[in-house]
Amino acid sequence: MNKKPIVAGNWKMNKHPKEGFSFVDEIQDLLLDINHVSVIFAPPFTGLFEMNVNPPFYSAAQNCHWENSGAFTGEISVSMIKDCGANYVIIGHSENRQSGETDKLINLKIKSAIKSNLKVIFCIGETLQQKRKKITKQVLNKQIRFGLNKIKIKNNIILAYEPVWSIGTGVIPKKNELFETINFIKKKINKCKVLYGGSVNPKNIIVLKSIDNIDGFLIGGASQDPNKFIDIIKKTYN
Ligand code: PGA
């Protein structure tokens, strides 16, 4: 585990703004003295505006559009996200890929975000079918190559490896498999932090954090419950 791990909570389409604000206040109050872990909250767009976070706590959007403005009904631009005070944006989540987001669009979104100095949490991962066909590495390679096409990586991008078969299922990869996959990703993209995401919970965090090359976690379900989220954060750095 990295010396200063990142624990990011993806709330997906959950928590109304007020609920989100009090959740964030509660977590920040209860973890007042943490400084060796970065915590990121990713609420729905409606909860980003006026979210009051102070380092080592940060906020993230769950998606963005690649254009700055225009006739794009229902979309939100990078500058609008930045205006809300967010520091990060999640791009390429499998739930968006499944509803039609292509590598090409992901690439445009990442370019737009980093051009405006919004840090990116770039999600990649194979489906169960692809895992069974033993083509995980090819899939990840393609997602990385197209997603990051013509992009200069500094510390502006964090990878999140999220096997689709692990998201919301309670099943996580075997320790050695996960180590090997993260290693594969890190060899492809030098000096990039890699988070793991998929069914992280207060129990399996013990095993997951013992995997040397993981730099943190992207958490869905368990990030929406204050007790579970705090438990995971504490176990991550203890
Ligand atoms: P999960 O979701 O922790 O509920 O599996 C992870 C994610 O979708 O980022």
Side-chain angles (χ1 to χ4, degrees):
M1 171 65 59
N2 186 288
K3 273 196 215 106
K4 186 158 184 186
I6 296 165
V7 180
N10 174 11
W11 299 355
K12 308 193 179 185
M13 198 171 68
N14 294 292
K15 295 197 192 298
H16 289 239
K18 275 190 191 151
E19 206 185 332
F21 299 152
S22 58
F23 179 89
V24 165
D25 287 346
E26 186 183 347
I27 306 268
Q28 288 188 119
D29 286 350
L30 289 169
L31 296 174
L32 253 190
D33 51 355
I34 61 156
N35 47 30
H36 28 277
V37 52
S38 300
V39 178
I40 303 171
F41 301 100
F45 286 131
T46 52
L48 263 191
F49 188 58
E50 292 184 344
M51 179 182 272
N52 187 13
V53 282
N54 294 300
F57 298 92
Y58 303 90
S59 60
Q62 295 176 17
N63 200 354
C64 66
H65 196 273
W66 59 92
E67 294 286 357
N68 206 36
S69 60
F72 302 103
T73 304
E75 300 287 351
I76 305 278
S77 74
V78 164
S79 63
M80 289 167 181
I81 292 168
K82 286 207 72 178
D83 231 32
C84 294
N87 317 87
Y88 293 86
V89 58
I90 297 172
I91 297 178
H93 193 280
S94 69
E95 282 150 18
N96 294 332
R97 288 180 188 265
Q98 277 159 2
S99 47
E101 188 180 55
T102 60
D103 289 320
K104 172 104 188 84
L105 294 188
I106 289 168
N107 180 251
L108 289 172
K109 291 179 180 189
I110 297 178
K111 280 180 178 154
S112 173
I114 59 176
K115 198 169 145 205
S116 301
N117 292 321
L118 187 62
K119 289 190 176 178
V120 172
I121 300 175
F122 170 38
C123 302
I124 58 171
E126 81 285 4
T127 62
L128 185 58
Q129 209 184 17
Q130 291 163 335
K131 178 181 162 59
R132 284 190 177 141
K133 281 195 197 157
K134 300 196 188 324
I135 55 167
T136 296
K137 285 184 180 160
Q138 285 101 301
V139 171
L140 299 182
N141 192 35
K142 180 175 169 280
Q143 290 174 339
I144 291 170
R145 205 154 52 89
F146 288 99
L148 297 181
N149 187 30
K150 299 206 172 115
I151 288 173
K152 207 167 184 187
I153 302 158
K154 293 182 221 136
N155 59 356
N156 46 5
I157 298 179
I158 298 167
L159 254 284
Y161 170 55
E162 299 205 303
V164 181
W165 50 270
S166 180
I167 295 176
T169 60
V171 185
I172 61 167
K174 292 195 187 86
K175 199 176 160 180
N176 60 334
E177 266 175 19
L178 190 48
F179 178 83
E180 207 198 300
T181 310
I182 303 254
N183 220 10
F184 171 80
I185 297 167
K186 287 197 164 178
K187 276 188 186 149
K188 294 262 146 227
I189 332 162
N190 225 347
K191 291 188 189 139
C192 199
K193 288 191 174 158
V194 182
L195 313 183
Y196 166 74
S199 293
V200 177
N201 65 36
K203 276 192 186 149
N204 61 28
I205 190 70
I206 305 289
V207 176
L208 289 168
K209 77 159 197 180
S210 72
I211 301 174
D212 282 355
N213 55 4
I214 290 185
D215 297 300
F217 303 98
L218 177 56
I219 304 161
S223 77
Q224 295 157 40
D225 175 311
N227 298 329
K228 286 185 186 165
F229 196 47
I230 288 175
D231 199 6
I232 292 172
I233 294 167
K234 285 187 172 167
K235 284 175 179 161
T236 299
Y237 68 79
N238 275 333

